[in-house]
Amino acid sequence: MTAEINVQHIGKSFKGFTALDDVSFSVQKGEIFGFLGPSGSGKTTLIKILTAQLDHNKGKASVFGIPVHEMKRADHKSRFGLLTDNSGLYKRLSVEENLSLYKDLYKLPDHAIDEALAFVNLRDARKKKVSKLSKGMIQRVTLARALMHKPELLFLDEPTSALDPGNTHHIYKGLRKLNEMGTTIFLTTHDMAEAETLCNRVAFLHEGKIKAIGTPSELRLRHSDQSMVVELTSGEQHTLPLNELTTAGKLEEWMRNQLIQRIWSNEPTLGDIFMEITGRDLR
Amino acid sequence: MNVSVKRMRAIFIKDYKEFSRNYAISTMVLMPLFLAFFYQSAGASTLDIYFLPINMTFAAVTTFIQACLIAEEKENNTLRSLMMSPASMTDILIGKSALVFSITLAVVALTMIILGFTPANLLILISALMISTVFYIGLGIICGLFTKTVMEASVAILPVMVIFSLGPLGRGLAETYPVLEVLKWLPSAQLIMLEEYSAAGQTSDVGIALAVITVWTIITLAVASILFKKRMKDE
């Protein structure tokens, strides 16, 4: 597989404050890669570096194999889409007028607007002025704008932070479909459920450093206490170590007597792992 | 140089829609017209008076509107979104200037009609007015890029308005205060002098006045471009 994003020992500091410190990772073509970290951990700084909005002090970074400082060239800019917390929409214009501007800037056919609006479930709001939209609707229009040109790579900075569960589900479905069609997705979030639902791989960023990286199941396994919980029909719960003969013996006995109600492995969530590694939660 | 007419047109249309719905800014075009009506009814007859509403148009319409359009884009973070699109710096700057350029030429033409002003050589004056328009647009871009909000831009523009629209009047005081001689090098003063030379048939002086305005324009555009490139990145 080709690395769509390649970051080697990137460092960035602002007037003595270290935002990113020796960050290295790569994102393969077709992946959905999640950067998890609390606010101020350096997630947005990294997206800005990768999209040539900010220079880094140390290390090397490339997108599509092109050094990031060259990403501001028009032909490279049309290869990626970007959604940030600042919508960058024109409030006096309607949803359609906003998208129409970007349709022309990306030189897309007229039906691109319809497709993008359908993707974010906003066809009915096309004539509405942006100033009249809710925060969640604005986020959906911004997302529509980011993916209207069907980019090879999509940078999403907290893509569902202002959305209700129904629309979040709709967006997840759409992002997965987009990914199946070949779009690589790089997203930052502090929502562990979002990362678990969407991402093939995740990295934990804390105080500018990558603390862990891997697939959600790899991380869960790595930080699991290797135990399982058995709930009996009486409601009693037993935590048993995995791969030990005593566990097998007990299980055999309970099964013989048909006492088992439920069994599950005692795996931590991504949030638990983050807490274990950094000593703080993701919010 | 990467230039796309389609992208420039898209930005122009967007700006037109925004401008027509923003009455705080769009009503500014009426100011020089009112001034022209006032001077016409007061019996304006000298070049200094004819050019007062014209130079006012450049400062209060061209520079002010351009600065506000840019500052508003910055304030709402839409400028960064434009910069992140495939539109090049040239597409954005020309697209964003086209509306103000057209409005300026229309208002200046109306002002001249209201004042009943007939230039000595229409072609030369039109050339000078067009170059001046580009200069004041550049000045507006600089003001807009330097400030963070529309409010800040509308304050930052005040000294520009005073210096460039009223500056030429200071030439009259140059005999008493020689330091004011410097005001004759302002593009607004050169515009009046160009018309004086044109009426007197002093072709070489017309060329010098046109060259001075052009130099101002080139410097302003260079500064605006450097500033724009800096604004494409965070610091």
Side-chain angles (χ1 to χ4, degrees):
Chain A
M1 278 206 290
T2 331
E4 208 81 319
I5 300 174
N6 197 3
V7 173
Q8 297 293 324
H9 310 291
I10 280 283
K12 175 70 190 171
S13 49
F14 302 95
K15 292 172 187 165
F17 167 74
T18 305
L20 292 173
D21 184 12
D22 198 24
V23 170
S24 297
F25 68 95
S26 63
V27 178
Q28 305 304 314
K29 193 172 170 55
E31 263 192 308
I32 302 184
F33 188 88
F35 238 76
L36 275 79
S39 303
S41 58
K43 304 188 298 286
T44 304
T45 301
L46 187 63
I47 284 193
K48 284 191 170 181
I49 289 173
L50 294 175
T51 52
Q53 297 181 70
L54 189 67
D55 288 328
H56 50 279
N57 307 125
K58 288 179 196 161
K60 284 193 295 188
S62 64
V63 176
F64 311 122
I66 300 155
V68 283
H69 65 268
E70 288 178 26
M71 287 306 292
K72 52 181 179 271
R73 267 179 42 189
D75 50 341
H76 298 327
K77 283 193 284 188
S78 56
R79 294 178 70 184
F80 68 85
L82 172 66
L83 173 123
T84 62
D85 52 347
N86 287 310
S87 74
L89 296 174
Y90 297 93
K91 294 186 178 76
R92 288 187 203 91
L93 303 188
S94 68
V95 170
E96 188 176 31
E97 285 168 336
N98 267 283
L99 294 182
S100 179
L101 167 67
Y102 283 85
K103 180 206 78 181
D104 289 339
L105 293 180
Y106 282 97
K107 299 185 176 176
L108 303 173
D110 288 345
H111 61 78
I113 296 178
D114 267 333
E115 287 171 11
L117 285 174
F119 186 93
V120 295
N121 204 14
L122 266 183
R123 266 191 171 143
D124 297 340
R126 63 188 304 149
K127 299 285 178 199
K128 272 194 180 171
K129 262 192 189 176
V130 169
S131 59
K132 306 278 180 206
L133 301 180
S134 68
K135 206 175 162 197
M137 287 168 100
I138 287 176
Q139 192 154 9
R140 282 149 69 195
V141 181
T142 316
L143 183 59
R145 189 188 63 193
L147 50 80
M148 192 163 58
H149 59 292
K150 298 192 173 70
E152 293 168 54
L153 173 62
L154 196 53
F155 290 99
L156 304 173
D157 195 0
E158 309 276 355
T160 57
S161 60
L163 301 186
D164 58 65
N167 279 309
T168 299
H169 177 74
H170 185 86
I171 296 296
Y172 286 168
K173 224 170 97 182
L175 289 176
R176 267 193 233 102
K177 197 171 147 198
L178 208 64
N179 179 246
E180 278 162 20
M181 285 157 62
T183 301
T184 307
I185 298 173
F186 179 93
L187 71 92
T188 70
T189 182
H190 56 241
D191 183 341
M192 59 187 173
E194 180 164 283
E196 299 231 23
T197 312
L198 282 177
C199 300
N200 310 121
R201 276 197 311 140
V202 294
F204 289 154
L205 194 67
H206 182 58
E207 292 173 347
K209 287 188 177 199
I210 290 187
K211 298 288 185 182
I213 191 163
T215 66
S217 77
E218 268 171 13
L219 289 173
R220 274 197 298 269
L221 218 60
R222 213 182 292 160
H223 293 269
S224 153
D225 62 1
Q226 297 288 302
S227 66
M228 64 194 284
V229 181
V230 182
E231 189 181 288
L232 302 182
T233 46
S234 61
E236 220 177 307
Q237 283 188 358
H238 295 268
T239 304
L240 305 172
L242 293 175
N243 303 319
E244 282 191 18
L245 285 174
T246 51
T247 302
K250 279 186 181 171
L251 279 176
E252 192 190 356
E253 185 193 330
W254 287 329
M255 284 170 90
R256 202 180 309 120
N257 297 320
Q258 295 187 335
L259 291 173
I260 296 176
Q261 179 118 315
R262 297 193 292 159
I263 302 177
W264 65 93
S265 65
N266 217 359
E267 280 180 354
T269 63
L270 290 180
D272 296 334
I273 301 168
F274 191 86
M275 175 75 105
E276 187 191 318
I277 294 172
T278 66
R280 62 163 294 179
D281 67 17
L282 276 165
R283 295 276 159 193
Chain B
M1 193 164 62
N2 184 5
V3 178
S4 159
V5 176
K6 185 171 181 168
R7 289 181 181 135
M8 288 190 282
R9 189 174 159 271
I11 295 169
F12 171 80
I13 291 170
K14 183 274 298 172
D15 267 354
Y16 169 72
K17 287 176 184 167
E18 281 252 290
F19 174 78
S20 60
R21 294 168 200 177
N22 186 351
Y23 301 118
I25 292 176
S26 55
T27 48
M28 282 301 283
V29 300
L30 299 174
M31 204 170 89
L33 299 178
F34 281 129
L35 202 64
F37 268 119
F38 174 77
Y39 285 124
Q40 190 270 337
S41 51
S45 57
T46 67
L47 273 184
D48 277 345
I49 298 298
Y50 280 143
F51 274 88
L52 194 63
I54 292 173
N55 281 326
M56 181 66 82
T57 304
F58 286 133
V61 174
T62 318
T63 305
F64 178 81
I65 296 177
Q66 188 69 19
C68 288
L69 288 179
I70 299 274
E72 189 174 32
E73 294 254 19
K74 270 185 77 187
E75 190 175 352
N76 296 333
N77 210 41
T78 49
L79 188 61
R80 181 54 67 87
S81 299
L82 277 184
M83 288 168 170
M84 294 308 295
S85 78
S88 64
M89 181 180 81
T90 317
D91 294 336
I92 298 174
L93 287 181
I94 295 180
K96 284 211 70 62
S97 306
L99 176 73
V100 176
F101 188 83
S102 330
I103 291 171
T104 304
L105 293 186
V107 174
V108 167
L110 277 172
T111 304
M112 285 168 61
I113 291 166
I114 293 166
L115 287 167
F117 169 54
T118 316
N121 186 324
L122 187 63
L123 205 65
I124 287 173
L125 188 68
I126 286 176
S127 312
L129 288 172
M130 285 171 83
I131 298 169
S132 296
T133 307
V134 177
F135 162 73
Y136 286 97
I137 284 175
L139 212 55
I141 294 172
I142 293 170
C143 288
L145 288 175
F146 253 121
T147 52
K148 287 187 182 124
T149 62
V150 178
M151 187 70 87
E152 257 185 55
S154 50
V155 174
I157 202 80
L158 290 176
V160 174
M161 285 169 81
V162 172
I163 293 168
F164 289 96
S165 59
L166 302 177
L169 296 178
R171 286 187 311 151
L173 301 170
E175 275 185 25
T176 325
Y177 306 102
V179 71
L180 294 178
E181 269 292 315
V182 75
L183 293 175
K184 79 172 187 188
W185 296 103
L186 288 175
S188 45
Q190 289 291 323
L191 195 61
I192 302 171
M193 288 158 70
L194 176 136
E195 182 55 25
E196 285 168 357
Y197 298 142
S198 183
Q202 296 168 263
T203 321
S204 60
D205 289 330
V206 168
I208 291 169
L210 209 55
V212 172
I213 300 170
T214 309
V215 169
W216 272 93
T217 308
I218 291 168
I219 293 170
T220 310
L221 289 183
V223 174
S225 304
I226 292 166
L227 214 53
F228 187 88
K229 277 186 184 158
K230 274 192 83 176
R231 293 291 180 266
M232 287 178 89
K233 284 195 170 192
D234 288 352
E235 284 167 9

